[in-house]
Amino acid sequence: MGPLVPQEIIGQDWNMLIAFIIGIGFGFALEQAGFSSSRKLAGLFYGYDTVVLKVFFTAAVTAMLGLLYFSLFGWIDLNLVYVNPTFIWSAIGGGVIMGAGFIIGGFCPGTSVCAAAIGKIDAMIFLAGVVIGIFVFGEGYPLWKEFYNSGNLGNPKISEILGVSGGVMALLVIIAAGIMFWIGEWAEKKFTREEY
Amino acid sequence: MKTKYMNPYLAGLMLGLVLLMAFFFSGRGLGASGAFKNLLVASEHIVAAEHVETNGYFGKYVADGKNPLNSWLSFEILGVLVGGFISGALSGRLKIKVEHFPKITANKRLTMALIGGVLFGFGSQLGRGCTSGSALTGMAVLSLGGFITMAAIFGTAFGLAYTFRKNWI
Amino acid sequence: MNARILTLAVTLLLGVVIAMVPENTTKRYKLTASDMITEVRDGSEIISPEDLAHWIITKDPSIQIIDVRSPDEFATYHLTNAFNIPIADILNDDYVDILDQGVKMNVFYSNGTMYSHQAWMVLRQLGYENNYVLQGGLNYWFESILSPKAPSIYSSDEEIAKYDFKKGASEYFGGGGAEIQATAPATNTNKPVIKRKKAKKAPAGGC
């Protein structure tokens, strides 16, 4: 059955409308979670507010379980679902730079859109920065082209690398998430800060 | 104060279901930075068409007269703006302001936001996706790259937290 | 507090269940049983030996001839340019690109038509297009192409032309080296239209 658009059960023309509707859901969920506040986002790294951890891992676990069950019931063909490619060195390099951007800027691109939508000027400035960053990357591309394309492993799944089934991997992630939630709630009590 | 946001687990469930629907309908996950790349490429293309077309990285987005703005991510981000606005309106959070820690000035916060944005924009291209596109979506499909990017982002942010503590606590 | 523990318990349970069940790797049938019956009754999957012979002689590049017999039998005798995919391996992932491409038409044959039809049915149900079966298999091929019976003097011109073609083909496949007139009687108009496959897009995405 699914995914509907790649299988042409729903026409390609509808894909953009679907994208827009899914975007509304995405923005709504982020904003309701409090991701429109850099204060809440940065809270994770000081332990006073671990909402990022909770939302992020709950969402990942939900979607992961959903995909596995959909596949089990034959509702979705996982071969037609995009799996991000792994370029190991640029994934780590990019992740490190993004991590620095996260703690300095207090947003990530998705959350900053949400925050900009409700009038946060800092988020709009952050977004301007994002565009500048992409511009720098594109204009200086020859300088880091080699690094960008290094360590290409194809599109592996972590379960394949570890040699377990997708289901076992999901169970491991659920257990890891449960432990992290427990630590997070403990940290929130320990490092409470007043809101502003 | 805390109660005005949704329960984080509930919000996470909602976000996860949205992501699942993206997979079910379009066979792909969420994203954010890509939409800004499209916006940048499209506007740069208006100013300096030839320059963009010959650029090794941006060129492929305008090849064969393609309009980069006519993409899944661009429409999705438009939706995010609308969805965020609706949520903010329903919860009474619509307000033009610079949110910052009281011990730093608004200007410092904005400078930091700009620097952080530049880093994030650059890193998202190098890492082939940001927190939503690579880490969250990647984790949901159990992509190895997704887990690596996620660990690198959060690991670095934790590692640098002490250095930048004055901005936040 | 209770709600959270309950949620965690349910999630863990879901995780345990998904970890225990085998992954769904079955290939899904795209055609229903009644679709298949319609196609089989229609007989549109049959290719006559004359047509096939003509395509082989004219070196038609859009034909793939697939021998579904065992490698031993294949080694003993096979049609010109045929390649061997034993029926047992027909679902092997290595052959997907050959069998499901939408550029060439596949003609299956075996000694009779049982194995070739079995291969055709399985692949057709998976939704593969452009698959055909050689009428009567190799047995009929020998009979009609390699040792054609001369038509009676009362036969129509068309049948005589057909016989001439078969005789030429027979010499061609017999390796007699005789010059053949590959001007078969209008057989090439029977060629089925190759159904173009919708460009299979690799799932796209990413930031």
Side-chain angles (χ1 to χ4, degrees), chain C residues 41-110:
Chain C
R41 287 182 56 104
D42 193 28
S44 53
E45 83 282 11
I46 304 285
I47 293 290
S48 74
E50 290 87 6
D51 285 344
L52 185 64
H54 173 67
W55 296 328
I56 296 176
I57 293 167
T58 54
K59 300 198 166 54
D60 190 323
S62 61
I63 307 289
Q64 285 188 136
I65 304 168
I66 295 164
D67 187 324
V68 296
R69 301 172 304 155
S70 69
D72 290 345
E73 286 173 293
F74 180 77
T76 314
Y77 177 81
H78 60 87
L79 296 184
T80 320
N81 294 334
F83 49 97
N84 184 218
I85 304 179
I87 179 105
D89 298 337
I90 204 97
L91 291 179
N92 196 319
D93 283 340
D94 297 346
Y95 298 125
V96 172
D97 291 343
I98 296 173
L99 298 172
D100 187 24
Q101 19 72 21
V103 181
K104 296 182 176 186
M105 54 181 281
N106 301 317
V107 180
F108 294 102
Y109 74 85
S110 51

Side-chain angles (χ1 to χ4, degrees), chain A residues 16-42:
Chain A
M16 299 303 166
L17 180 66
I18 292 166
F20 182 67
I21 294 168
I22 282 173
I24 292 179
F26 185 26
F28 189 87
L30 287 179
E31 212 288 329
Q32 280 297 310
F35 280 18
S36 53
S37 159
S38 59
R39 172 87 189 137
K40 279 184 95 66
L41 292 168

